[in-house]
Amino acid sequence: MANSPSGDSVTDRVVRVLETFGPDRTVQTAAEIGRRAHLPSSTAHRLVAELVEGGLLERDDDHRVRLGMRLWELALRGSRALRLRQAALPSMERIQARVREHTQLAVLEHDTALFLERLSHPDAGANITRIAGRLPLHASSSGLVLLAYAGPDLQERVLSAPLAALSEGTVTDAAALRRTLAGIRRSGFVVAPGSVEAVSTGVAVPVRDETGEVVAALSVVLPRETPPEVAITELLRGARDIRAALSRARDQ
Amino acid sequence: MANSPSGDSVTDRVVRVLETFGPDRTVQTAAEIGRRAHLPSSTAHRLVAELVEGGLLERDDDHRVRLGMRLWELALRGSRALRLRQAALPSMERIQARVREHTQLAVLEHDTALFLERLSHPDAGANITRIAGRLPLHASSSGLVLLAYAGPDLQERVLSAPLAALSEGTVTDAAALRRTLAGIRRSGFVVAPGSVEAVSTGVAVPVRDETGEVVAALSVVLPRETPPEVAITELLRGARDIRAALSRARDQ
């Protein structure tokens, strides 16, 4: 439908335009968007004008372009992300109050851990995740939990690909990772010291929905020297409460 | 670009497809989407297939369609909504802990109040707002604050249009609303008993960004019989703290 001579659809081009925006690039000109999305200038200007017309993009007084509030609204109001995050937020707040470190909720998306929510305590230590940011499955506590309960096809695909190290502590050996995943399925949690950053330990547990399926990972990031026991207890309790909240939300 | 015989662009049709999803309709078939978006069946099926390919929609095992996590990611990671909400969340948590009622953050979007965030206390009373939901400007405390600091063109447009009552307490007289808006600009807050629901009082204050511009309304929903003084004090403090957080975020 409505393909260009190069064979990409208009939908492809819309996605490419949206992909040029990010946390460090929230405002651009139409020309910059065209260059970054690899679109001819006239195409970029027309497409940006259409997206502004539809509210997915907005123009400011200087004619620069940013993501529209309408896009945010359309993306959220019917999304599983919002439902999951609403069910999880009270538990995350309680965990953050007890553990006083970063508390995070992540889902599996295109072979990575996508972070839906992050609460940060003012006194908490280092942490590179952001909301709507991603981390590799093998190199984050959240990702390891999501991978442990994923289908065998996805596990093989991830474990047979080159495994990049994010820090010296990242486990990149497929056999060692297989043992870690089996351990997670037995114990129901993971403690991953230094896998993302040398100074931090990720602790994560699976979150199940009302049907028992693992739909997310709930995690905290502790300073490397902090014992993980309190965090594990709080995370397991949080995951139970989120499952109950999802059951109640379905019944409403 | 890529217009159909009826003159609507592909971007229009993408927006219409996304608009068919909502909090009460998170999963649909391609045929249902086509009917609700007023698209011919073959067009709907091709467009849904393209949107699934691009990750903006996802198909489940029963071939039903829902909004994609990729859409959520693209909409959030470069958005002002996320920046504002991250700056506001710690203050909203503190207000909720003190006032123990619904605490909300709203922005002006297409002549309505669009709710970016809502924290709900388990013991809190009635409240019809939802995240990514909207309320009319004249009929909610958040909307009145946003309207009070909006440009004169927008104020006239809203006040000269028919003003619907959401409940018996909604003020629908333009002259009375003009006096309310002037009062908000003088006092820096609004107390709106029963304007949305007879049993509730909305209390709202403006949130300014680091440049001093009003960018949002911060509000709580109290039971009608609760005196508003504590809420006003907490909201004003929260708005100051959010402005400081936005200044720090810019400096980083």
Side-chain angles (χ1 to χ4, degrees):
Chain A
M1 145 177 258
N3 282 4
S4 73
S6 60
D8 56 343
S9 69
V10 176
T11 312
D12 284 337
R13 283 177 262 157
V14 168
V15 170
R16 270 152 58 197
V17 165
L18 298 180
E19 282 174 339
T20 64
F21 291 88
D24 302 318
R25 196 190 295 144
T26 58
V27 182
Q28 307 177 80
T29 64
E32 288 167 341
I33 291 171
R35 208 172 57 243
R36 288 169 180 142
H38 304 291
L39 292 171
S41 171
S42 59
T43 306
H45 279 84
R46 273 201 310 270
L47 189 52
V48 165
E50 280 185 19
L51 290 167
V52 168
E53 181 68 25
L56 301 193
L57 298 179
E58 291 172 5
R59 256 194 252 271
D60 66 15
D61 298 340
D62 302 327
H63 263 252
R64 296 184 312 165
V65 179
R66 48 192 190 185
L67 295 180
M69 285 286 178
R70 180 83 181 123
L71 172 64
W72 179 90
E73 178 187 19
L74 290 174
L76 257 78
R77 62 177 194 169
S79 76
R80 280 175 304 143
L82 182 60
R83 175 173 184 265
L84 192 52
R85 180 269 184 197
Q86 285 300 89
L89 195 59
S91 299
M92 295 181 69
E93 288 174 356
R94 206 195 46 236
I95 293 166
Q96 200 209 16
R98 301 272 174 89
V99 181
R100 304 174 73 85
E101 299 290 347
H102 307 286
T103 306
Q104 309 171 140
L105 185 72
V107 295
L108 183 64
E109 216 283 320
H110 269 91
D111 295 5
T112 61
L114 174 65
F115 287 82
L116 292 191
E117 184 58 277
R118 169 192 166 159
L119 302 181
S120 292
H121 195 274
D123 308 330
N127 181 10
I128 68 170
T129 68
R130 339 189 185 211
I131 295 172
R134 292 170 179 261
L135 281 177
L137 291 178
H138 71 282
S140 59
S141 62
S142 302
L144 287 168
V145 161
L146 295 169
L147 191 56
Y149 295 93
D153 290 0
L154 192 150
Q155 289 185 1
E156 283 316 302
R157 189 164 66 237
V158 169
L159 294 176
S160 60
L163 297 163
L166 292 191
S167 84
E168 283 179 29
T170 310
V171 178
T172 57
D173 175 68
L177 283 168
R178 276 201 184 84
R179 288 191 296 275
T180 301
L181 299 182
I184 293 171
R185 287 189 296 268
R186 271 197 309 275
S187 66
F189 64 83
V190 69
V191 178
S195 71
V196 177
E197 293 182 289
V199 296
S200 305
T201 295
V203 184
V205 305
V207 175
R208 293 174 190 275
D209 70 6
E210 64 277 21
T211 70
E213 190 190 347
V214 172
V215 291
L218 185 64
S219 61
V220 294
V221 180
L222 304 177
R224 187 75 175 261
E225 64 277 11
T226 305
E229 286 73 17
V230 172
I232 294 168
T233 306
E234 292 295 333
L235 287 170
L236 290 171
R237 178 177 164 198
R240 277 197 307 274
D241 291 348
I242 295 170
R243 183 175 179 168
L246 286 169
S247 292
R248 284 196 303 275
R250 164 161 288 191
D251 295 341
Q252 272 173 4
Chain B
M1 144 177 255
N3 282 4
S4 74
S6 60
D8 57 343
S9 68
V10 175
T11 312
D12 284 336
R13 284 177 260 156
V14 168
V15 169
R16 269 151 58 197
V17 165
L18 297 180
E19 281 173 339
T20 64
F21 291 87
D24 303 318
R25 195 190 296 144
T26 58
V27 182
Q28 305 177 81
T29 64
E32 289 167 342
I33 291 171
R35 207 172 57 245
R36 288 171 179 141
H38 304 291
L39 293 171
S41 173
S42 59
T43 307
H45 279 84
R46 272 201 310 271
L47 189 53
V48 165
E50 280 186 18
L51 290 167
V52 168
E53 180 69 26
L56 301 193
L57 298 179
E58 292 172 5
R59 256 194 251 272
D60 66 15
D61 298 340
D62 302 327
H63 263 251
R64 296 184 312 165
V65 180
R66 48 193 188 182
L67 295 180
M69 284 288 177
R70 180 82 181 124
L71 173 64
W72 179 90
E73 179 186 19
L74 290 173
L76 257 78
R77 61 176 194 169
S79 76
R80 280 174 304 143
L82 181 60
R83 175 173 184 265
L84 193 52
R85 180 267 183 198
Q86 284 300 90
L89 194 60
S91 298
M92 295 182 69
E93 288 174 357
R94 206 194 47 235
I95 293 166
Q96 200 208 19
R98 301 271 175 88
V99 181
R100 303 174 74 85
E101 299 290 347
H102 306 287
T103 306
Q104 309 172 142
L105 184 73
V107 295
L108 182 65
E109 216 285 318
H110 268 91
D111 295 5
T112 62
L114 173 65
F115 287 83
L116 293 191
E117 183 58 277
R118 170 192 165 159
L119 301 181
S120 293
H121 195 274
D123 308 330
N127 181 11
I128 67 170
T129 68
R130 341 190 184 211
I131 294 173
R134 290 170 182 262
L135 281 176
L137 291 177
H138 71 282
S140 59
S141 62
S142 301
L144 288 168
V145 161
L146 294 169
L147 190 57
Y149 296 93
D153 290 0
L154 192 150
Q155 289 185 1
E156 283 315 302
R157 189 165 66 237
V158 169
L159 294 176
S160 61
L163 296 164
L166 292 191
S167 84
E168 283 180 29
T170 310
V171 178
T172 56
D173 175 68
L177 282 169
R178 276 200 184 83
R179 288 191 296 274
T180 301
L181 299 182
I184 294 171
R185 287 188 296 268
R186 271 195 310 275
S187 65
F189 64 83
V190 70
V191 178
S195 70
V196 177
E197 293 181 288
V199 295
S200 305
T201 295
V203 184
V205 305
V207 175
R208 294 174 189 275
D209 70 5
E210 64 276 20
T211 69
E213 190 190 347
V214 172
V215 291
L218 184 65
S219 62
V220 295
V221 181
L222 303 177
R224 188 74 175 260
E225 63 278 12
T226 305
E229 286 73 17
V230 172
I232 294 168
T233 307
E234 291 295 333
L235 288 170
L236 290 171
R237 179 178 164 197
R240 276 197 307 274
D241 291 348
I242 295 170
R243 182 176 180 168
L246 287 169
S247 292
R248 284 195 303 275
R250 165 160 287 191
D251 296 341
Q252 274 172 3

